[in-house]
Amino acid sequence: MAAANPGDLKLTQLAPAGKRYYSVDGKLAAVPMNMSTPLLFVNTELLQKAGVETSSLKTLDGLAAAATKIKDATGVPGIAEAFDDWWFEQLTATSGNLYCTPENGRGTKSADKVSFQQPSQVKAFSTMAGIYKAGAGLDVGTDNNNAVTAFAAGKTAMMFNSSAVAASVANSTSFPYVALPFPLSAPTSKAGTVVGGSAMWLSNQASPAQQVAGWKLISFLASPASQAKFSEATGYVPANTALEDSAARKDYLASHPVAQVAIDEVKNVSDVPASHGCFTGAFSAIRAAMIPQMQAAFSGSKSMEQALTDATTAANQAISDYKTQLAGD
């Protein structure tokens, strides 16, 4: 469609991280509509009261130590994150591990199993769980919006959340804060964050006329003007890089440092298998299997080892069921 309509969207303008996420075996499957990236939002007043420097938050171990120090010094929980499986995907990717095998489902073979029990991955999960079991984390359930509400109310000093909530945070907070990149627990040579968001697809079951109409809509929504407007209204990272050179965009970023942090994180993420994310039609079921097990591990009602074993069993069954429904690979 792009080749047949040279006056519409140019695929070369799409952000590399978005193209990688929506590509399988080297072929682009969809056009990213909007990209989100995980950020660490920090209440700078509470950190100052606790004597914590933001420079100590570059690693997961540093963040865990800071969360406990903040709770001890101020009585306010150090961090909150929604128990959305996206965060366990981030902990996996930033510890340098695949979420599913082989090759995160992006090579010549589709995903057939999950990978939840690699040592550095388990360590990252356990580090976050330790924060909560020590009383330094605030349980906000599975909704990222609950985390925003808690952060804006000063009920937590730090928050893991998507860049997509940047506008909500800006509109609801009355104290100074900053956003920092998601902390890594492995070298950038093998680790990185995974983009989120959504994508636009064309159906091969649609008529030629419908496909052309769909491509026109995709081209409009992915255009620099549309991407800039949507990004600035929400916090999502633009999927089209062509807008970066506009004076208006540069002015916006100069006065919105959180947006720049998000863009830089997406732009600088390492092109490594871990950061590409898992690709499988069973992903929703995998997430549904993972969430309750991690809730149990974080609350201390189940050991991390048992939680991951149970999650692996359920997730692998979900993949098997999906493949059976497709009548094979």
Side-chain angles (χ1 to χ4, degrees), residues 194-220:
V194 181
V195 298
S198 62
M200 299 173 284
W201 303 70
L202 280 178
S203 171
N204 61 7
Q205 303 300 308
S207 69
Q210 289 173 325
Q211 289 182 345
V212 170
W215 182 250
K216 295 294 183 182
L217 177 60
I218 287 175
S219 295
F220 168 74

PDB file of all heavy atoms in Angstrom, residues 194-220:
ATOM      1  N   VAL A 194      10.470  -2.001  26.365  1.00  0.00           N
ATOM      2  CA  VAL A 194       9.596  -2.430  25.275  1.00  0.00           C
ATOM      3  C   VAL A 194       8.519  -1.365  25.076  1.00  0.00           C
ATOM      4  O   VAL A 194       7.899  -0.917  26.049  1.00  0.00           O
ATOM      5  CB  VAL A 194       8.918  -3.782  25.603  1.00  0.00           C
ATOM      6  CG1 VAL A 194       8.030  -4.230  24.453  1.00  0.00           C
ATOM      7  CG2 VAL A 194       9.964  -4.840  25.915  1.00  0.00           C
ATOM      8  N   VAL A 195       8.290  -0.957  23.833  1.00  0.00           N
ATOM      9  CA  VAL A 195       7.259   0.040  23.593  1.00  0.00           C
ATOM     10  C   VAL A 195       5.880  -0.581  23.761  1.00  0.00           C
ATOM     11  O   VAL A 195       5.675  -1.780  23.572  1.00  0.00           O
ATOM     12  CB  VAL A 195       7.360   0.667  22.181  1.00  0.00           C
ATOM     13  CG1 VAL A 195       8.669   1.399  22.010  1.00  0.00           C
ATOM     14  CG2 VAL A 195       7.169  -0.378  21.100  1.00  0.00           C
ATOM     15  N   GLY A 196       4.925   0.266  24.138  1.00  0.00           N
ATOM     16  CA  GLY A 196       3.526  -0.146  24.200  1.00  0.00           C
ATOM     17  C   GLY A 196       2.733   0.711  23.234  1.00  0.00           C
ATOM     18  O   GLY A 196       3.276   1.293  22.303  1.00  0.00           O
ATOM     19  N   GLY A 197       1.448   0.817  23.492  1.00  0.00           N
ATOM     20  CA  GLY A 197       0.600   1.646  22.637  1.00  0.00           C
ATOM     21  C   GLY A 197      -0.318   0.811  21.768  1.00  0.00           C
ATOM     22  O   GLY A 197      -0.798  -0.244  22.177  1.00  0.00           O
ATOM     23  N   SER A 198      -0.537   1.264  20.550  1.00  0.00           N
ATOM     24  CA  SER A 198      -1.463   0.560  19.662  1.00  0.00           C
ATOM     25  C   SER A 198      -0.997   0.707  18.224  1.00  0.00           C
ATOM     26  O   SER A 198      -0.108   1.508  17.922  1.00  0.00           O
ATOM     27  CB  SER A 198      -2.881   1.125  19.805  1.00  0.00           C
ATOM     28  OG  SER A 198      -2.917   2.482  19.420  1.00  0.00           O
ATOM     29  N   ALA A 199      -1.611  -0.088  17.356  1.00  0.00           N
ATOM     30  CA  ALA A 199      -1.212  -0.070  15.949  1.00  0.00           C
ATOM     31  C   ALA A 199      -2.436  -0.181  15.053  1.00  0.00           C
ATOM     32  O   ALA A 199      -3.522  -0.590  15.486  1.00  0.00           O
ATOM     33  CB  ALA A 199      -0.243  -1.217  15.652  1.00  0.00           C
ATOM     34  N   MET A 200      -2.235   0.180  13.797  1.00  0.00           N
ATOM     35  CA  MET A 200      -3.313   0.152  12.798  1.00  0.00           C
ATOM     36  C   MET A 200      -3.007  -0.938  11.781  1.00  0.00           C
ATOM     37  O   MET A 200      -1.912  -1.007  11.227  1.00  0.00           O
ATOM     38  CB  MET A 200      -3.422   1.527  12.128  1.00  0.00           C
ATOM     39  CG  MET A 200      -3.752   2.631  13.124  1.00  0.00           C
ATOM     40  SD  MET A 200      -3.711   4.300  12.435  1.00  0.00           S
ATOM     41  CE  MET A 200      -1.933   4.596  12.316  1.00  0.00           C
ATOM     42  N   TRP A 201      -4.001  -1.768  11.531  1.00  0.00           N
ATOM     43  CA  TRP A 201      -3.835  -2.937  10.679  1.00  0.00           C
ATOM     44  C   TRP A 201      -4.766  -2.853   9.474  1.00  0.00           C
ATOM     45  O   TRP A 201      -5.847  -2.268   9.557  1.00  0.00           O
ATOM     46  CB  TRP A 201      -4.172  -4.216  11.453  1.00  0.00           C
ATOM     47  CG  TRP A 201      -3.372  -4.408  12.706  1.00  0.00           C
ATOM     48  CD1 TRP A 201      -3.452  -3.685  13.863  1.00  0.00           C
ATOM     49  CD2 TRP A 201      -2.365  -5.390  12.931  1.00  0.00           C
ATOM     50  NE1 TRP A 201      -2.560  -4.149  14.787  1.00  0.00           N
ATOM     51  CE2 TRP A 201      -1.881  -5.209  14.249  1.00  0.00           C
ATOM     52  CE3 TRP A 201      -1.836  -6.418  12.154  1.00  0.00           C
ATOM     53  CZ2 TRP A 201      -0.883  -6.010  14.800  1.00  0.00           C
ATOM     54  CZ3 TRP A 201      -0.848  -7.224  12.706  1.00  0.00           C
ATOM     55  CH2 TRP A 201      -0.376  -7.011  14.018  1.00  0.00           C
ATOM     56  N   LEU A 202      -4.356  -3.463   8.383  1.00  0.00           N
ATOM     57  CA  LEU A 202      -5.226  -3.609   7.215  1.00  0.00           C
ATOM     58  C   LEU A 202      -5.612  -5.076   7.077  1.00  0.00           C
ATOM     59  O   LEU A 202      -4.761  -5.958   7.152  1.00  0.00           O
ATOM     60  CB  LEU A 202      -4.499  -3.168   5.939  1.00  0.00           C
ATOM     61  CG  LEU A 202      -4.429  -1.669   5.655  1.00  0.00           C
ATOM     62  CD1 LEU A 202      -3.631  -1.417   4.377  1.00  0.00           C
ATOM     63  CD2 LEU A 202      -5.813  -1.065   5.524  1.00  0.00           C
ATOM     64  N   SER A 203      -6.894  -5.323   6.856  1.00  0.00           N
ATOM     65  CA  SER A 203      -7.378  -6.693   6.720  1.00  0.00           C
ATOM     66  C   SER A 203      -7.178  -7.211   5.299  1.00  0.00           C
ATOM     67  O   SER A 203      -7.543  -6.548   4.323  1.00  0.00           O
ATOM     68  CB  SER A 203      -8.869  -6.766   7.065  1.00  0.00           C
ATOM     69  OG  SER A 203      -9.389  -8.037   6.738  1.00  0.00           O
ATOM     70  N   ASN A 204      -6.625  -8.416   5.184  1.00  0.00           N
ATOM     71  CA  ASN A 204      -6.498  -9.013   3.853  1.00  0.00           C
ATOM     72  C   ASN A 204      -7.815  -9.644   3.392  1.00  0.00           C
ATOM     73  O   ASN A 204      -7.890 -10.215   2.308  1.00  0.00           O
ATOM     74  CB  ASN A 204      -5.360 -10.047   3.813  1.00  0.00           C
ATOM     75  CG  ASN A 204      -5.584 -11.199   4.786  1.00  0.00           C
ATOM     76  OD1 ASN A 204      -6.637 -11.314   5.406  1.00  0.00           O
ATOM     77  ND2 ASN A 204      -4.572 -12.037   4.921  1.00  0.00           N
ATOM     78  N   GLN A 205      -8.837  -9.540   4.229  1.00  0.00           N
ATOM     79  CA  GLN A 205     -10.168 -10.002   3.854  1.00  0.00           C
ATOM     80  C   GLN A 205     -11.037  -8.866   3.309  1.00  0.00           C
ATOM     81  O   GLN A 205     -12.147  -9.092   2.845  1.00  0.00           O
ATOM     82  CB  GLN A 205     -10.870 -10.628   5.070  1.00  0.00           C
ATOM     83  CG  GLN A 205     -10.102 -11.782   5.701  1.00  0.00           C
ATOM     84  CD  GLN A 205      -9.867 -12.932   4.746  1.00  0.00           C
ATOM     85  OE1 GLN A 205     -10.808 -13.422   4.129  1.00  0.00           O
ATOM     86  NE2 GLN A 205      -8.617 -13.351   4.617  1.00  0.00           N
ATOM     87  N   ALA A 206     -10.532  -7.640   3.397  1.00  0.00           N
ATOM     88  CA  ALA A 206     -11.292  -6.487   2.922  1.00  0.00           C
ATOM     89  C   ALA A 206     -11.192  -6.378   1.397  1.00  0.00           C
ATOM     90  O   ALA A 206     -10.275  -6.914   0.776  1.00  0.00           O
ATOM     91  CB  ALA A 206     -10.759  -5.211   3.562  1.00  0.00           C
ATOM     92  N   SER A 207     -12.144  -5.670   0.815  1.00  0.00           N
ATOM     93  CA  SER A 207     -12.112  -5.448  -0.629  1.00  0.00           C
ATOM     94  C   SER A 207     -10.991  -4.468  -0.961  1.00  0.00           C
ATOM     95  O   SER A 207     -10.522  -3.724  -0.093  1.00  0.00           O
ATOM     96  CB  SER A 207     -13.438  -4.869  -1.091  1.00  0.00           C
ATOM     97  OG  SER A 207     -13.592  -3.539  -0.615  1.00  0.00           O
ATOM     98  N   PRO A 208     -10.529  -4.426  -2.210  1.00  0.00           N
ATOM     99  CA  PRO A 208      -9.488  -3.459  -2.593  1.00  0.00           C
ATOM    100  C   PRO A 208      -9.867  -2.025  -2.248  1.00  0.00           C
ATOM    101  O   PRO A 208      -9.020  -1.255  -1.778  1.00  0.00           O
ATOM    102  CB  PRO A 208      -9.352  -3.679  -4.104  1.00  0.00           C
ATOM    103  CG  PRO A 208      -9.706  -5.114  -4.301  1.00  0.00           C
ATOM    104  CD  PRO A 208     -10.825  -5.370  -3.322  1.00  0.00           C
ATOM    105  N   ALA A 209     -11.115  -1.662  -2.471  1.00  0.00           N
ATOM    106  CA  ALA A 209     -11.550  -0.299  -2.164  1.00  0.00           C
ATOM    107  C   ALA A 209     -11.469  -0.033  -0.664  1.00  0.00           C
ATOM    108  O   ALA A 209     -11.069   1.055  -0.229  1.00  0.00           O
ATOM    109  CB  ALA A 209     -12.974  -0.075  -2.671  1.00  0.00           C
ATOM    110  N   GLN A 210     -11.848  -1.021   0.140  1.00  0.00           N
ATOM    111  CA  GLN A 210     -11.788  -0.863   1.594  1.00  0.00           C
ATOM    112  C   GLN A 210     -10.339  -0.763   2.066  1.00  0.00           C
ATOM    113  O   GLN A 210     -10.025   0.007   2.979  1.00  0.00           O
ATOM    114  CB  GLN A 210     -12.482  -2.041   2.272  1.00  0.00           C
ATOM    115  CG  GLN A 210     -13.993  -2.042   2.122  1.00  0.00           C
ATOM    116  CD  GLN A 210     -14.625  -3.314   2.653  1.00  0.00           C
ATOM    117  OE1 GLN A 210     -14.051  -4.402   2.553  1.00  0.00           O
ATOM    118  NE2 GLN A 210     -15.819  -3.191   3.208  1.00  0.00           N
ATOM    119  N   GLN A 211      -9.472  -1.519   1.418  1.00  0.00           N
ATOM    120  CA  GLN A 211      -8.062  -1.462   1.797  1.00  0.00           C
ATOM    121  C   GLN A 211      -7.458  -0.096   1.478  1.00  0.00           C
ATOM    122  O   GLN A 211      -6.683   0.457   2.277  1.00  0.00           O
ATOM    123  CB  GLN A 211      -7.282  -2.566   1.088  1.00  0.00           C
ATOM    124  CG  GLN A 211      -7.608  -3.958   1.615  1.00  0.00           C
ATOM    125  CD  GLN A 211      -6.793  -5.038   0.939  1.00  0.00           C
ATOM    126  OE1 GLN A 211      -6.185  -4.799  -0.108  1.00  0.00           O
ATOM    127  NE2 GLN A 211      -6.778  -6.229   1.512  1.00  0.00           N
ATOM    128  N   VAL A 212      -7.828   0.470   0.355  1.00  0.00           N
ATOM    129  CA  VAL A 212      -7.345   1.805   0.004  1.00  0.00           C
ATOM    130  C   VAL A 212      -7.872   2.829   1.008  1.00  0.00           C
ATOM    131  O   VAL A 212      -7.128   3.702   1.479  1.00  0.00           O
ATOM    132  CB  VAL A 212      -7.764   2.187  -1.429  1.00  0.00           C
ATOM    133  CG1 VAL A 212      -7.464   3.661  -1.697  1.00  0.00           C
ATOM    134  CG2 VAL A 212      -7.031   1.312  -2.445  1.00  0.00           C
ATOM    135  N   ALA A 213      -9.157   2.716   1.344  1.00  0.00           N
ATOM    136  CA  ALA A 213      -9.750   3.642   2.320  1.00  0.00           C
ATOM    137  C   ALA A 213      -9.055   3.497   3.674  1.00  0.00           C
ATOM    138  O   ALA A 213      -8.773   4.490   4.356  1.00  0.00           O
ATOM    139  CB  ALA A 213     -11.240   3.374   2.451  1.00  0.00           C
ATOM    140  N   GLY A 214      -8.769   2.241   4.048  1.00  0.00           N
ATOM    141  CA  GLY A 214      -8.077   2.009   5.307  1.00  0.00           C
ATOM    142  C   GLY A 214      -6.689   2.614   5.307  1.00  0.00           C
ATOM    143  O   GLY A 214      -6.246   3.202   6.296  1.00  0.00           O
ATOM    144  N   TRP A 215      -6.002   2.484   4.168  1.00  0.00           N
ATOM    145  CA  TRP A 215      -4.660   3.050   4.070  1.00  0.00           C
ATOM    146  C   TRP A 215      -4.686   4.573   4.150  1.00  0.00           C
ATOM    147  O   TRP A 215      -3.807   5.191   4.754  1.00  0.00           O
ATOM    148  CB  TRP A 215      -3.981   2.603   2.784  1.00  0.00           C
ATOM    149  CG  TRP A 215      -2.587   3.137   2.669  1.00  0.00           C
ATOM    150  CD1 TRP A 215      -2.134   4.088   1.808  1.00  0.00           C
ATOM    151  CD2 TRP A 215      -1.469   2.774   3.479  1.00  0.00           C
ATOM    152  NE1 TRP A 215      -0.806   4.338   2.028  1.00  0.00           N
ATOM    153  CE2 TRP A 215      -0.363   3.545   3.051  1.00  0.00           C
ATOM    154  CE3 TRP A 215      -1.303   1.872   4.534  1.00  0.00           C
ATOM    155  CZ2 TRP A 215       0.883   3.441   3.641  1.00  0.00           C
ATOM    156  CZ3 TRP A 215      -0.040   1.766   5.112  1.00  0.00           C
ATOM    157  CH2 TRP A 215       1.024   2.545   4.673  1.00  0.00           C
ATOM    158  N   LYS A 216      -5.709   5.178   3.572  1.00  0.00           N
ATOM    159  CA  LYS A 216      -5.843   6.637   3.650  1.00  0.00           C
ATOM    160  C   LYS A 216      -6.034   7.067   5.106  1.00  0.00           C
ATOM    161  O   LYS A 216      -5.473   8.085   5.550  1.00  0.00           O
ATOM    162  CB  LYS A 216      -7.022   7.108   2.796  1.00  0.00           C
ATOM    163  CG  LYS A 216      -6.862   6.885   1.301  1.00  0.00           C
ATOM    164  CD  LYS A 216      -5.738   7.717   0.718  1.00  0.00           C
ATOM    165  CE  LYS A 216      -5.647   7.534  -0.796  1.00  0.00           C
ATOM    166  NZ  LYS A 216      -4.512   8.300  -1.381  1.00  0.00           N
ATOM    167  N   LEU A 217      -6.836   6.316   5.841  1.00  0.00           N
ATOM    168  CA  LEU A 217      -7.059   6.640   7.256  1.00  0.00           C
ATOM    169  C   LEU A 217      -5.769   6.455   8.057  1.00  0.00           C
ATOM    170  O   LEU A 217      -5.411   7.305   8.886  1.00  0.00           O
ATOM    171  CB  LEU A 217      -8.176   5.768   7.830  1.00  0.00           C
ATOM    172  CG  LEU A 217      -8.465   5.955   9.330  1.00  0.00           C
ATOM    173  CD1 LEU A 217      -8.872   7.387   9.630  1.00  0.00           C
ATOM    174  CD2 LEU A 217      -9.532   4.976   9.794  1.00  0.00           C
ATOM    175  N   ILE A 218      -5.087   5.350   7.811  1.00  0.00           N
ATOM    176  CA  ILE A 218      -3.815   5.109   8.493  1.00  0.00           C
ATOM    177  C   ILE A 218      -2.831   6.233   8.200  1.00  0.00           C
ATOM    178  O   ILE A 218      -2.155   6.747   9.104  1.00  0.00           O
ATOM    179  CB  ILE A 218      -3.232   3.750   8.064  1.00  0.00           C
ATOM    180  CG1 ILE A 218      -4.034   2.607   8.693  1.00  0.00           C
ATOM    181  CG2 ILE A 218      -1.757   3.633   8.458  1.00  0.00           C
ATOM    182  CD1 ILE A 218      -3.614   1.233   8.227  1.00  0.00           C
ATOM    183  N   SER A 219      -2.759   6.643   6.943  1.00  0.00           N
ATOM    184  CA  SER A 219      -1.830   7.708   6.560  1.00  0.00           C
ATOM    185  C   SER A 219      -2.162   9.018   7.258  1.00  0.00           C
ATOM    186  O   SER A 219      -1.260   9.773   7.665  1.00  0.00           O
ATOM    187  CB  SER A 219      -1.854   7.908   5.036  1.00  0.00           C
ATOM    188  OG  SER A 219      -1.358   6.765   4.373  1.00  0.00           O
ATOM    189  N   PHE A 220      -3.452   9.289   7.425  1.00  0.00           N
ATOM    190  CA  PHE A 220      -3.858  10.508   8.125  1.00  0.00           C
ATOM    191  C   PHE A 220      -3.498  10.441   9.607  1.00  0.00           C
ATOM    192  O   PHE A 220      -2.909  11.372  10.164  1.00  0.00           O
ATOM    193  CB  PHE A 220      -5.363  10.738   7.967  1.00  0.00           C
ATOM    194  CG  PHE A 220      -5.917  11.789   8.884  1.00  0.00           C
ATOM    195  CD1 PHE A 220      -5.670  13.130   8.644  1.00  0.00           C
ATOM    196  CD2 PHE A 220      -6.650  11.434  10.011  1.00  0.00           C
ATOM    197  CE1 PHE A 220      -6.158  14.115   9.506  1.00  0.00           C
ATOM    198  CE2 PHE A 220      -7.142  12.406  10.874  1.00  0.00           C
ATOM    199  CZ  PHE A 220      -6.893  13.751  10.616  1.00  0.00           C
TER     200      PHE A 220
END
